[in-house]
Amino acid sequence: MSARALNWLRANLFYSVPSALATLVLLALAWKLVPPFVEWAFVNAVWRAPDPSACRAAGSGACWAFIAEKHRFILFGTYPYAQQWRPGLGILLFIALYVVSALRVCWRPWLALAWVGGLALIGMLMWGGVFGLPYVENERWGGLMLTLILATFGIAAAFPLSILLALGRRSNMPAVRTASVVYIEMIRGVPLISLLFMASVMLPLFLPAGVSIDKLLRAQIAMVMFAVAYLAEVVRGGLQAIPNGQYEAAEALGLSYWRKMLLIILPQALRISIPPLVNTFIAFFKDTSLVVIIGLFDLLTAVKVALNEPAWSGHGIEAYLFASLVYFAFCFSMSKYSQRLERDLARGRRHILRED
Amino acid sequence: MADAPIIEMKGVDKWFGEFHVLRGIDFSVARGEKIVICGPSGSGKSTLVRLINRLESHQRGKIVVDGIELADDVKAIEAIRREVGMVFQQFNLFPHLTVLENLVLAPTWVRRMPKREGEELAMQLLKRVRIAEQADKYPAQLSGGQQQRVAIARALAMRPKVMLFDEPTSALDPEMIKEVLDVMVELAREGMTMLVVTHEMGFARTVADRVVFMDRGEIVEVGKPEEFFAAPKTDRAKLFLSQILGH
Amino acid sequence: MSTAPRLRRSWSLYDLRVRAILYQVLLVVAVGLVAWFLILNTTHNLEARKIASGFGFLDREAGFAIGETTLVAYSAADSYLRALTVGVLNTFRVALIGVFAATLIGTLIGLARLSRNWLLSRLAAGYVEAMRNVPLLVQLFFWYTVIADNLPGPRQALSPLPGVFLSNRGIALPVLHAHPAHAWMGAALAAGAVGAWWLARWAKRRQALTGQPFPSLAAGTALVLGLPLLVFLAAGAPLRIELPALRGFNFSGGMTLTPEFAALLGGLTTYTAAFIAEIVRAGVLAVDRGQFEAAYALGLRPRRAMRLVILPQALRVIVPPMTSQFLNLTKNSSLAVAIGYPDLVSIANTTMNQTGQAIEGIAIIMAVYLTISLAISAFMNWYNKRIALKGARPA
């Protein structure tokens, strides 16, 4: 073994007696646990099996064939088979929107237009009824596509509202401020489940007789109401970080309240808030999984329902591991991006912190 | 016995990973001597000073402080830290304690002083650095110059035999440098052994017994202040002085 | 004796104060109108569907059984109110145990992440990333499927430790038989705690006077542990442990954690621990390196430095987000409804389904959680004010 490797081992693993002990214990645990797992998950695994009994054969490992058989269901729900290229394209469009928004060169006003256009395009793709695409009612949407729809439309709708709410919370007018505080504290104090129940059960009661509201919209409204409160707190943090001098300079120039906010304050505040906004989005993305409780068909529900089929039952571990992997892929990449963004933005902004 | 140097370094080398930051340092400080260490950044002067109270450790050579050899021996390190006081560039006052509590902390817990005695000592020192009226304030409520004076008093509360200063005025606004330097000059006049890393050449001329010039990890030149500033012997020292004093 | 002249308010739309009043009046009127509209529709719809209103249903007989209860007994003949109370207690049970366990595990992992040992810190980092990027509900389902579907039946139960049995009917643990001596032990524990506190105060005073330190932590611990131990031994060391034993198709005796409770507790704990680990790590890192150096330069030993200088500063950074995580854990316990643990939301759901009174049910759920979260917020505000670092030079 080379001298450098030995040095590294000595400095990082064996620099003291407790550390050496810990290293040995961890290595022993790895020795006991990792090989059986690898055997189960890879070596003995069944990758393709048109016939479910192959997975029950003695000595077989993980039944990934279950995923292979059910993957369309998990990704697209009960969308008509022949039209599944549409949600497939939709998923790609979503990812494209995220990636474009992530690049700092694209942080221009036209990005908002791109979002509106992109979301409209996705809506058109999914519903159809135009341009020769057959209509597909949204009761048939499901799987990963539904998760992305709930998360993305949720944040897109909630974001502008949250800015208003944050401004309201900082307002000098008591009625406006009280209303904002009450809303924010109430929403943040209760679990998301209760909001989903509220939307799912109470919204139909709020509407005049004869007007109905479909399940997806109810869930979307609940998610938006939830997101608005949390996003508002993040935006408020950004507004608080702007030095008073900025507000004063804008007022001294004679700008009206809304001009001041739109031209001077919000651009700066939102820039500062971007990393915590991304973190809020990641949490929100994970929270979409709760719609399984009110019977909407997102990625997690699809996995659960796929498990119910008697021929394939009993493979819960593989199913939930797969679901975990999909969520992890999205959330981990977003969180790494957020960390990098925070570092980059902090570096450029150090001179602003030396105020007064 | 009074002739034995209070700090002695022989053949000291230090590496940060692959970077050889101190090369073959031979250096000693007599009791009551005031040394100013200067040099370009990266020359290793801060590291040299931090070796003395074991905030950094040396890989080769021998360091003896007040008769105790510096090694990995915990007892030796503790004994040395009791006798060596340090003032940092960033003050490093404890923000959750008042000025008085900052001073009383170490004497109480390290020298086992009763609290009343510690507080009396603290107030004496605060008067000495002319900041007694701020005793109950918190560090964040004081200016930089005031904070650094408190830091000096805090180090003095341990009644050290040697005081180390690591660029004590570099983080201060210009109008506050004088108040801190005045305290340091008084300390020097009272006979404290001092090692000061600084760019303040006026201070060096007033107070220093010797000026040590370091560059790239080596002690390049040592001399009395008048000789060093008027007629530096080496080219590197000449270059450094022209950069520092030129503007 | 002159006062500032009163400005004559011009009742024009350009006056700022007039505008403010106008906006607020408009807001109140708009909200009022919307509320009136919604209430009108709601009452109409409720009548049409013959759904009752009001909280009278709370006295009616519930008519459904509850799988597990905490502290109170319950049967299907009890009222809805009692059923909901059981739900609240069940929620508290899983939330309190979860908070303790998550804080313990989270702190250990956070410190592991800071360790110099490369293996330890990478493994801890991997744990944190894995837990934080997968939704809690997926993790709960995973736990539940492992326990309920993949563990063997009671007859082939796994037994990692003597007396502990893991099977798909739950986790069976040994439990101590109640004995009068235990009450005395509890009293001894309380006495030990009070004694330790007194000792600490006396030691602090003594040190202030004479400068002599006293190992009050070690002595205090000895008191708190030792006194109950003495009582225990004096009573003849009554240690009858009831081991769960297989009888027929299941275990009886001892204490059994249902698969639902075990899955919920396990999932909540491991998930929240990852967030707490990051909070602890951020707290320790937030303390400037210079603070360590100043403390060491003064001659303070690492443990003293930690206690007097580092920890107080780290805790200031750690406590607010930590209480936030406790609140999150409590709110997240509502996911119990998805795996069948009878917490408040679960039981309220059943109640709503049976009585049809959804609005009252949801109102009860929200009221309980709001109370909990407002209480925690109030505590945090009080704590923050008390320990806030006094700063900001005046002008």
Side-chain angles (χ1 to χ4, degrees):
Chain A
M1 238 207 234
S2 71
R4 276 185 79 173
L6 272 175
N7 259 340
W8 182 90
L9 279 177
R10 231 212 326 253
N12 288 312
L13 290 178
F14 296 105
Y15 53 88
S16 72
V17 172
S19 167
L21 273 173
T23 307
L24 289 173
V25 166
L26 287 173
L27 285 176
L29 273 177
W31 186 251
K32 264 195 80 180
L33 297 174
V34 172
F37 177 73
V38 169
E39 260 190 55
W40 174 83
F42 297 106
V43 176
N44 291 336
V46 179
W47 294 93
R48 266 196 196 284
D51 174 15
S53 60
C55 273
R56 300 191 195 285
S60 70
C63 185
W64 302 120
F66 167 63
I67 308 295
E69 281 300 304
K70 296 280 177 181
H71 75 276
R72 276 187 181 242
F73 182 64
I74 293 177
L75 288 177
F76 310 125
T78 51
Y79 211 81
Y81 194 86
Q83 302 291 321
Q84 279 182 352
W85 61 270
R86 284 156 61 182
L89 190 55
I91 292 181
L92 290 175
L93 273 174
F94 270 127
I95 298 184
L97 266 179
Y98 291 168
V99 169
V100 163
S101 308
L103 300 171
R104 284 211 275 162
V105 294
C106 303
W107 289 355
R108 296 280 149 75
W110 57 255
L111 190 59
L113 285 174
W115 268 85
V116 172
L119 291 178
L121 186 60
I122 291 174
M124 195 194 68
L125 259 181
M126 291 298 290
W127 266 306
V130 293
F131 300 134
L133 295 169
Y135 174 74
V136 179
E137 64 277 9
N138 53 17
E139 282 76 8
R140 302 200 61 176
W141 299 1
L144 175 62
M145 188 55 186
L146 194 72
T147 297
L148 284 169
I149 289 178
L150 277 173
T152 317
F153 277 91
I155 285 278
F159 188 53
L161 293 173
S162 70
I163 297 181
L164 289 174
L165 192 61
L167 291 174
R169 186 159 176 173
R170 285 176 48 99
S171 160
N172 290 325
M173 299 187 266
V176 174
R177 196 174 55 235
T178 318
S180 309
V181 169
V182 165
Y183 180 86
I184 292 179
E185 292 303 321
M186 267 195 56
I187 300 286
R188 281 166 56 105
V190 298
L192 176 56
I193 279 202
S194 60
L195 290 173
L196 285 172
F197 276 165
M198 197 174 82
S200 151
V201 158
M202 278 166 62
L203 270 181
L205 292 176
F206 286 162
L207 297 172
V211 177
S212 76
I213 175 172
D214 92 354
K215 224 168 174 199
L216 177 56
L217 190 54
R218 278 182 249 166
Q220 186 74 81
I221 290 180
M223 303 286 304
V224 169
M225 284 179 63
F226 185 71
V228 170
Y230 286 83
L231 287 174
E233 284 295 278
V234 174
V235 173
R236 182 168 80 108
L239 289 171
Q240 275 176 331
I242 308 290
N244 257 332
Q246 295 289 310
Y247 290 89
E248 292 176 351
E251 283 164 16
L253 285 170
L255 292 173
S256 73
Y257 177 82
W258 286 108
R259 289 254 169 82
K260 172 178 71 179
M261 286 302 166
L262 284 172
L263 294 175
I264 312 285
I265 304 298
L266 282 177
Q268 296 184 59
L270 292 179
R271 215 159 200 269
I272 296 182
S273 315
I274 290 177
L277 281 175
V278 175
N279 289 340
T280 309
F281 178 59
I282 296 174
F284 192 62
F285 190 84
K286 291 189 295 174
D287 284 336
T288 58
S289 57
L290 265 70
V291 297
V292 63
I293 299 178
I294 56 169
L296 260 190
F297 229 89
D298 75 322
L299 173 63
L300 184 56
T301 321
V303 164
K304 211 161 187 281
V305 167
L307 269 178
N308 281 341
E309 193 177 313
W312 290 103
S313 75
H315 297 297
I317 295 190
E318 290 90 325
Y320 293 123
L321 271 180
F322 177 69
S324 306
L325 274 171
V326 176
Y327 279 110
F328 187 81
F330 277 95
C331 295
F332 185 68
S333 27
M334 289 194 279
S335 104
K336 278 292 158 210
Y337 167 73
S338 158
Q339 284 169 11
R340 205 168 41 129
L341 198 58
E342 207 165 352
R343 272 201 302 270
D344 289 345
L345 287 179
R347 223 181 293 139
R349 224 186 320 115
R350 209 151 307 190
H351 61 279
I352 295 186
L353 294 171
R354 297 203 52 199
E355 39 174 324
D356 95 33
Chain B
M1 250 326 273
D3 287 322
I6 194 163
I7 300 178
E8 196 165 350
M9 291 192 186
K10 282 209 179 78
V12 171
D13 279 78
K14 176 164 177 67
W15 285 264
F16 276 129
E18 303 275 332
F19 176 48
H20 198 174
V21 63
L22 288 176
R23 303 161 192 267
I25 303 286
D26 286 309
F27 177 56
S28 61
V29 179
R31 228 168 271 264
E33 219 185 340
K34 339 270 178 237
I35 313 266
V36 164
I37 306 178
C38 63
S41 52
S43 55
K45 42 194 207 298
S46 283
T47 313
L48 179 70
V49 155
R50 288 152 67 91
L51 281 180
I52 296 177
N53 66 353
R54 201 72 173 179
L55 286 180
E56 308 285 357
S57 50
H58 58 288
Q59 278 92 26
R60 197 195 294 171
K62 188 165 143 171
I63 304 181
V64 179
V65 176
D66 196 23
I68 308 172
E69 177 166 351
L70 256 183
D72 277 325
D73 181 1
V74 167
K75 279 278 178 327
I77 296 176
E78 278 176 17
I80 288 176
R81 284 183 177 164
R82 278 197 285 271
E83 307 303 333
V84 174
M86 182 151 193
V87 175
F88 298 84
Q89 184 177 358
Q90 299 296 340
F91 332 139
N92 288 340
L93 291 180
F94 303 135
H96 58 299
L97 304 173
T98 62
V99 162
L100 191 69
E101 287 165 355
N102 260 277
L103 262 71
V104 169
L105 181 78
T108 310
W109 288 96
V110 180
R111 288 214 190 271
R112 315 252 176 118
M113 214 183 266
K115 191 161 138 193
R116 178 115 26 104
E117 208 179 301
E119 286 179 353
E120 276 173 25
L121 171 67
M123 286 310 289
Q124 269 175 37
L125 288 168
L126 288 176
K127 287 205 187 77
R128 198 162 137 190
V129 298
R130 283 185 282 277
I131 207 168
E133 69 281 3
Q134 311 283 6
D136 290 316
K137 294 257 174 64
Y138 284 86
Q141 294 171 297
L142 305 177
S143 74
Q146 290 170 322
Q147 287 187 53
Q148 193 63 302
R149 285 187 276 149
V150 171
I152 296 177
R154 179 177 66 172
L156 288 174
M158 289 293 284
R159 299 215 193 279
K161 299 199 176 104
V162 179
M163 283 284 278
L164 306 172
F165 292 83
D166 185 4
E167 307 223 25
T169 55
S170 300
L172 295 176
D173 290 333
E175 67 269 16
M176 298 194 229
I177 294 183
K178 181 174 185 303
E179 63 193 61
V180 173
L181 287 180
D182 284 343
V183 169
M184 289 166 66
V185 167
E186 254 181 61
L187 197 59
R189 294 235 166 88
E190 284 162 13
M192 173 68 75
T193 313
M194 294 166 62
L195 264 86
V196 185
V197 176
T198 186
H199 294 299
E200 296 291 327
M201 296 303 144
F203 173 79
R205 272 195 253 251
T206 316
V207 152
D209 294 315
R210 275 191 289 161
V211 174
V212 171
F213 174 68
M214 285 184 70
D215 189 14
R216 276 180 259 151
E218 298 171 313
I219 295 186
V220 173
E221 195 174 321
V222 181
K224 293 223 189 32
E226 318 79 71
E227 293 164 14
F228 179 73
F229 288 119
K233 294 193 192 79
T234 60
D235 285 335
R236 285 194 267 174
K238 285 191 189 125
L239 179 64
F240 174 71
L241 280 176
S242 69
Q243 287 167 338
I244 279 254
L245 298 172
H247 59 285
Chain C
M1 76 133 234
S2 61
T3 56
R6 283 183 55 129
L7 293 169
R8 289 210 43 201
R9 175 173 302 165
S10 54
W11 290 99
S12 82
L13 276 179
Y14 288 114
D15 185 303
L16 280 176
R17 278 168 298 179
V18 173
R19 274 218 183 159
I21 296 179
L22 190 63
Y23 287 151
Q24 292 177 80
V25 165
L26 280 176
L27 177 71
V28 170
V29 166
V31 168
L33 277 176
V34 169
W36 182 67
F37 177 67
L38 292 180
I39 294 178
L40 208 62
N41 285 332
T42 311
T43 37
H44 183 194
N45 286 326
L46 286 178
E47 270 176 33
R49 296 177 207 198
K50 306 244 189 329
I51 299 177
S53 265
F55 288 93
F57 70 94
L58 286 173
D59 289 327
R60 297 213 304 267
E61 185 180 303
F64 61 89
I66 298 183
E68 45 184 313
T69 66
T70 310
L71 295 182
V72 296
Y74 169 85
S75 75
D78 287 320
S79 66
Y80 280 115
L81 182 61
R82 200 173 172 85
L84 288 169
T85 314
V86 169
V88 172
L89 288 171
N90 280 345
T91 296
F92 279 151
R93 171 159 72 122
V94 77
L96 280 170
I97 301 182
V99 157
F100 273 122
T103 308
L104 195 61
I105 299 180
T107 309
L108 286 175
I109 296 189
L111 294 175
R113 189 101 155 68
L114 293 165
S115 158
R116 249 183 82 182
N117 188 317
W118 182 87
L119 253 186
L120 200 55
S121 71
R122 286 306 139 110
L123 276 174
Y127 173 88
V128 168
E129 289 300 329
M131 293 291 133
R132 296 201 323 168
N133 288 309
V134 176
L136 175 58
L137 197 50
V138 175
Q139 296 186 36
L140 284 179
F141 283 155
F142 186 82
W143 276 86
Y144 190 68
T145 199
V146 164
I147 296 181
D149 297 334
N150 287 72
L151 281 181
R155 297 228 171 147
Q156 295 94 26
L158 302 171
S159 185
L161 294 169
V164 176
F165 297 100
L166 307 172
S167 73
N168 60 13
R169 301 291 287 274
I171 300 180
L173 297 168
V175 87
L176 219 50
H177 244 293
H179 188 278
H182 294 160
W184 289 109
M185 280 174 68
L189 188 78
V194 171
W197 181 68
W198 257 346
L199 189 69
R201 274 186 60 178
W202 168 84
K204 201 163 169 205
R205 220 172 290 152
R206 178 165 166 263
Q207 184 182 10
L209 275 171
T210 67
Q212 291 295 323
F214 188 81
S216 44
L217 187 65
T221 318
L223 265 182
V224 169
L225 292 180
L227 282 182
L229 188 63
L230 281 174
V231 171
F232 177 70
L233 291 172
L239 196 70
R240 212 152 49 102
I241 299 183
E242 197 180 305
L243 288 173
L246 188 57
R247 218 156 293 168
F249 286 110
N250 200 356
F251 288 95
S252 65
M255 172 173 74
T256 308
L257 306 175
T258 60
E260 292 78 15
F261 181 74
L264 186 63
L265 189 63
L268 277 176
T269 305
T270 49
Y271 183 76
T272 313
F275 290 89
I276 290 185
E278 280 299 282
I279 291 173
V280 167
R281 178 171 157 260
V284 173
L285 288 177
V287 182
D288 201 46
R289 173 105 203 120
Q291 294 289 308
F292 285 90
E293 293 187 345
Y296 293 156
L298 283 169
L300 288 170
R301 290 209 194 105
R303 219 155 14 120
R304 281 266 157 72
M306 193 52 109
R307 193 156 70 86
L308 295 172
V309 175
I310 312 299
L311 269 183
Q313 297 184 59
L315 279 177
R316 276 174 173 77
V317 178
I318 289 179
V319 169
M322 189 87 106
T323 36
S324 202
Q325 283 304 319
F326 293 164
L327 181 60
N328 280 346
L329 190 143
T330 311
K331 286 194 288 178
N332 283 337
S333 70
S334 60
L335 292 181
V337 66
I339 56 169
Y341 177 72
D343 79 319
L344 171 64
V345 172
S346 222
I347 294 184
N349 193 24
T350 314
T351 308
M352 290 195 291
N353 286 338
Q354 279 189 198
T355 64
Q357 299 199 239
I359 300 184
E360 286 82 357
I362 294 180
I364 292 178
I365 295 176
M366 291 176 89
V368 171
Y369 278 103
L370 260 180
T371 315
I372 297 176
S373 77
L374 286 177
I376 294 188
S377 291
F379 164 75
M380 250 224 322
N381 281 336
W382 169 83
Y383 178 80
N384 271 338
K385 280 215 183 74
R386 249 196 70 174
I387 57 117
L389 289 178
K390 320 253 183 355
R393 301 171 16 219

